[in-house]
Amino acid sequence: MQRCHTGLCLSVYIITFVLGFPANVLAFYTFCKKVRQKPRPIDILLLNLTISDLLFLIFLPFKMQEAMDDMLWKMPYVLCPLSGFVFYMTIYNSTFFLTAVSVERYLGVAFPIQHTLKRRPIYAVAASIFFWIFSILNLSIVYIVPLISPDHSHQNPTSHQNVSATPAPVEQRKVCYENFTEAQLNVLLPVRLELCIVLFCIPFLICCFCYINFIKILSKLKHIDNRRRNRAIGMALGTLLVFALCFGPYNVSHIVGFIQWKSPNWRDKALLCSTFNACLDPIIFYLSSSAVRGTVGSMLKGAKTRLNRFISWPAFCSMGGGNSESSKERGSSTNTI
C-alpha cells in the first residue's frame, strides 16, 4: 500500500488550499461578471476552468483528513469514491480547458480576421459541456473498479504490495482506492494508460503546438508594444510549464504502472504535483485576462486606501484632541479677562 508522508502531503494540500481557494474565488467572481456583461469564448473557458479548480479545492479537505489519518479512510466510506472521482476528474478536466484556451489564443493571432468573424460564445459553451461529460465518463472508472469481483483463479499469492490476494470487505474499507486485486488491476491499468494518452498526451501536444506558434507569431509582430508581447509570451510559457510539471509526473506513473503491471510506489507523490495546479492556474488567469488584472488592481488600490486611512487616523485624532484643548484654553483665558 502506498504511504504518502503525512507532513509532505498536508503541507502541499494546505498550501494549495490557502493560496488557491481565495484566488479562484476572485477569478470566479471576475469571470461571472465578465460573462454576464459581454460573453467571450476565452472568458467562458476560463470560467469553467475556475469552476473545476474550485470543485477540486472544495473536496481537498477530504484528502487532508486522509493524510492526517496516515492514509487510512476513517470517514464514511461513501465519501471515498465521491472524493476520488471529483479529485481525478477535475485534474483531467483542467487539461482540456487549458488546451482549449491555448487553441483560442493561437487562432486569435494566427487568423485574426477569420477567427473574429466566426467566433461565437455558443461554441465555447458546447466545448465546455463536451469536456465535462467526457471527463466524467472516463473517470467513472473510480466507481467501477471497486465493484469488480476478485478472480481467485488468476490471483498470485505472492502479489505486489498494492495487490491484495484475498481482500475482505472490511480491509478494503480501511483504505481508499488502493489494495487492488489482480482482476481490478486488469481493468484499471489499461484504463490509466488510456487516460494518459487521451486526457494528457494529446492535449499537451496540441497545447505545445498552439503556444509555440503563438510565440513565433507574436515575436514577428511589430505593432505590439513590448510589455503586452512579453506578458503574452510569459503566459504561454507559464501554461506549458504548469502543464508539464503538474500533470506530467502523475501521467508518467500510468505508463510505468502499465509496464510493470502495478502502481509505482512514487505515484502518490507524483499526484501531489497535480494538486499544485489549483493554485497555479490563477497566475495564468492574471496573465491572460485583463478583467482579472483589473479586479486585482482595484482590490489592491482599495486595500491601500483603507491602510492609509488606518495609519492616518491616530494622527488625525491627536490633532483633533490638540485643537480641542487649544480652544478650551482660549475660552478659559477669555473668561478670565
Side-chain angles (χ1 to χ4, degrees):
M1 182 173 63
Q2 301 176 32
R3 289 293 186 192
C4 182
H5 189 270
T6 302
L8 176 63
C9 285
L10 272 180
S11 300
V12 172
Y13 292 155
I14 291 173
I15 291 173
T16 302
F17 187 85
V18 171
L19 296 180
F21 191 78
N24 279 281
V25 168
L26 175 64
F28 177 77
Y29 166 78
T30 303
F31 291 128
C32 284
K33 183 178 179 181
K34 191 79 179 297
V35 169
R36 284 199 303 267
Q37 293 175 350
K38 185 180 179 181
R40 295 190 310 159
I42 188 72
D43 296 323
I44 294 173
L45 295 173
L46 290 174
L47 174 61
N48 279 272
L49 180 58
T50 307
I51 294 173
S52 181
D53 286 342
L54 282 174
L55 194 60
F56 174 87
L57 291 166
I58 289 172
F59 279 84
L60 192 58
F62 291 108
K63 287 291 182 180
M64 296 181 191
Q65 184 62 46
E66 184 184 24
M68 292 175 63
D69 294 332
D70 196 24
M71 301 308 293
L72 297 177
W73 194 263
K74 298 181 180 180
M75 292 170 284
Y77 192 76
V78 68
L79 296 175
C80 165
L82 176 62
S83 63
F85 169 75
V86 173
F87 195 77
Y88 299 120
M89 185 268 295
T90 51
I91 287 176
Y92 282 110
N93 211 24
S94 297
T95 64
F96 279 133
F97 285 110
L98 287 174
T99 305
V101 170
S102 71
V103 173
E104 174 70 17
R105 288 292 181 185
Y106 167 69
L107 294 177
V109 297
F111 311 99
I113 299 177
Q114 299 93 321
H115 182 60
T116 303
L117 293 176
K118 296 181 180 180
R119 184 173 58 183
R120 299 289 185 275
I122 190 64
Y123 297 154
V125 173
S128 301
I129 294 173
F130 171 78
F131 293 154
W132 282 100
I133 294 176
F134 194 74
S135 299
I136 290 172
L137 291 178
N138 276 274
L139 273 302
S140 61
I141 188 67
V142 176
Y143 278 101
I144 296 174
V145 166
L147 301 178
I148 299 175
S149 301
D151 187 1
H152 296 285
S153 60
H154 292 86
Q155 285 188 6
N156 184 3
T158 60
S159 56
H160 299 293
Q161 61 177 353
N162 65 323
V163 181
S164 177
T166 57
V170 176
E171 290 294 326
Q172 287 181 333
R173 289 170 180 264
K174 288 184 178 179
V175 294
C176 182
Y177 206 60
E178 290 185 21
N179 288 359
F180 299 112
T181 66
E182 191 69 30
Q184 290 172 337
L185 285 178
N186 290 336
V187 175
L188 180 61
L189 294 178
V191 171
R192 283 180 178 174
L193 182 64
E194 180 263 337
L195 293 176
C196 173
I197 296 173
V198 177
L199 276 70
F200 171 73
C201 291
I202 294 177
F204 183 61
L205 291 176
I206 296 174
C207 201
C208 288
F209 171 82
C210 290
Y211 277 136
I212 290 174
N213 287 279
F214 176 81
I215 293 172
K216 288 181 179 179
I217 295 171
L218 280 183
S219 301
K220 296 177 182 179
L221 295 178
K222 303 299 181 183
H223 62 278
I224 300 178
D225 60 281
N226 291 330
R227 183 180 179 183
R228 292 184 60 188
R229 180 187 290 108
N230 293 335
R231 186 170 60 227
I233 292 176
M235 179 270 299
L237 294 176
T239 304
L240 291 177
L241 189 64
V242 167
F243 214 120
L245 294 181
C246 290
F247 303 124
Y250 178 59
N251 284 276
V252 169
S253 73
H254 294 345
I255 300 175
V256 175
F258 183 81
I259 295 173
Q260 298 179 348
W261 207 252
K262 66 174 184 178
S263 294
N265 295 330
W266 47 270
R267 182 174 179 272
D268 54 345
K269 297 176 180 62
L271 185 60
L272 294 179
C273 298
S274 301
T275 305
F276 269 125
N277 175 70
C279 62
L280 294 177
D281 279 343
I283 300 176
I284 299 174
F285 301 155
Y286 183 83
L287 292 173
S288 60
S289 175
S290 58
V292 175
R293 292 194 298 273
T295 302
V296 173
S298 61
M299 289 186 63
L300 292 177
K301 185 177 179 181
K304 183 179 179 180
T305 303
R306 287 191 292 270
L307 182 62
N308 290 335
R309 290 177 180 175
F310 178 77
I311 294 174
S312 61
W313 178 251
F316 176 78
C317 292
S318 62
M319 290 176 62
N323 292 336
S324 61
E325 291 178 0
S326 300
S327 61
K328 289 180 180 177
E329 291 176 359
R330 287 195 296 269
S332 61
S333 298
T334 304
N335 293 334
T336 303
I337 293 173

